[in-house]
């Protein structure tokens, strides 16, 4: 079946604020959606197919919640962490059997304030957006941004597909976009990704991701020769 039509613009704060009052929740094990990142999802359960069909007619926004540490996949409903990522479906392809392949772009960190009574087969929550804390020292953040970009360059020299990583970095304009985009591209551990999602201090996120990049580069050893 054909992809869904181009999504409506959902970039304004008012649209996000309205959506957070009644937000579909997609709980998942080992999946964390960071702002500014792209996440591919394959949707096969009927209740989540219904979720996708519903949101495609509106603002195309949903919350992706990581299972809580004590939750089990067999729990119904599974408990999720209170801090979640909200994303906009920017691509939806419905397969002939009704399953969906989605690409979701992270829009915001949110706190799940409570669960709503749902007349749909999926869960609905109300949430509050969690913007980054105010930056105390813009020059310090700018320096940390440049350090992370330089570290990514060194890492890219150490791996065969380093050019693709550099393209990811080049596409990020702001320090917040950079650190979240790099974390999404490089950090696989869901626990660490969740900690970064929960960290509203931009300087701390830059420091943590930079340390991860240094560790990755060290594990890979000497950069590849230019020859």
């Amino acid at each position: 079946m054909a992809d869904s039509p181009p999504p409506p613009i959902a970039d304004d704060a008012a649209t996000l604020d309205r959506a957070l009052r009644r937000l579909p929740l997609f709980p998942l094990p080992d999946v964390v959606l960071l702002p500014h990142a792209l996440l591919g999802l394959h949707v096969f359960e009927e209740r989540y197919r219904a979720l996708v069909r519903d949101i495609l007619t509106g603002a195309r926004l949903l919350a992706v919640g990581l299972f809580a540490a004590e939750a089990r996949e067999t729990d119904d409903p599974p408990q999720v962490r209170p801090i979640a990522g909200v994303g906009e479906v920017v691509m939806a392809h419905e397969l002939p059997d009704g399953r969906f392949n989605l690409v979701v772009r992270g829009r915001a960190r949110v706190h799940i304030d409570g669960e709503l009574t749902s007349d749909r087969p999926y869960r609905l929550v109300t949430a509050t957006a969690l913007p980054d804390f105010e930056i105390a020292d813009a020059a310090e953040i700018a320096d940390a941004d440049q350090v992370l970009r330089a570290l990514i360059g060194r890492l890219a020299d150490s791996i065969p597909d380093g050019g693709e990583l550099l393209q990811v970095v080049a596409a990020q304009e702001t320090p917040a976009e950079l650190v979240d985009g790099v974390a999404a591209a490089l950090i696989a551990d869901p626990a660490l990704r969740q900690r970064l999602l929960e960290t509203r201090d931009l300087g701390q996120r830059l420091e943590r991701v930079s340390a991860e990049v240094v560790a990755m580069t060290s594990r890979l050893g000497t950069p590849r020769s230019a020859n």
Side-chain angles (χ1 to χ4, degrees), residues 109-120:
R109 294 169 168 80
V110 299
H111 180 273
I112 296 176
D113 300 324
E115 193 143 349
L116 303 173
T117 301
S118 178
D119 57 356
R120 305 297 297 141

Side-chain angles (χ1 to χ4, degrees), residues 161-227:
D161 56 350
E164 293 183 8
L165 180 56
L166 290 176
Q167 289 176 8
V168 171
V169 173
Q172 315 306 319
E173 296 183 2
T174 69
E177 291 171 340
L178 173 70
V179 70
D180 290 335
V182 168
L186 293 180
I187 296 176
D189 178 20
L192 179 53
R193 288 168 69 100
Q194 181 69 23
R195 287 198 295 274
L196 290 168
L197 179 67
E198 295 174 1
T199 302
R200 298 171 63 188
D201 185 307
L202 177 56
Q204 289 183 10
R205 292 206 308 279
L206 285 161
E207 181 179 350
R208 290 178 184 180
V209 173
S210 292
E212 286 296 312
V213 174
V214 168
M216 290 177 190
T217 305
S218 178
R219 288 195 296 269
L220 288 169
T222 305
R224 293 178 291 117
S225 169
N227 298 322

Side-chain angles (χ1 to χ4, degrees), residues 6-74:
I9 296 174
D11 289 334
D12 62 287
T15 299
L16 178 61
D17 183 63
R18 287 193 299 271
L20 293 183
R21 300 172 195 169
R22 184 179 169 86
L23 188 66
L25 173 65
F26 198 162
L28 289 166
D30 302 328
V31 177
V32 177
L33 175 61
L34 292 163
H36 315 296
L38 294 177
L39 174 66
L41 293 174
H42 177 68
V43 180
F44 56 90
E45 285 189 56
E46 182 52 46
R47 55 182 161 177
Y48 298 123
R49 297 185 198 185
L51 183 157
V52 173
R53 288 192 291 266
D54 287 350
I55 67 172
L56 290 180
T57 65
R60 303 172 74 109
L61 295 170
L62 75 163
V64 176
L66 178 68
F67 281 12
E70 62 273 20
R72 299 170 298 179
E73 290 191 50
T74 55

Side-chain angles (χ1 to χ4, degrees), residues 122-140:
Y122 50 84
R123 297 160 70 181
L124 294 168
V125 298
T126 180
T128 301
L130 298 175
D132 281 345
F133 295 140
E134 185 175 350
I135 294 173
D137 189 336
E140 183 177 320

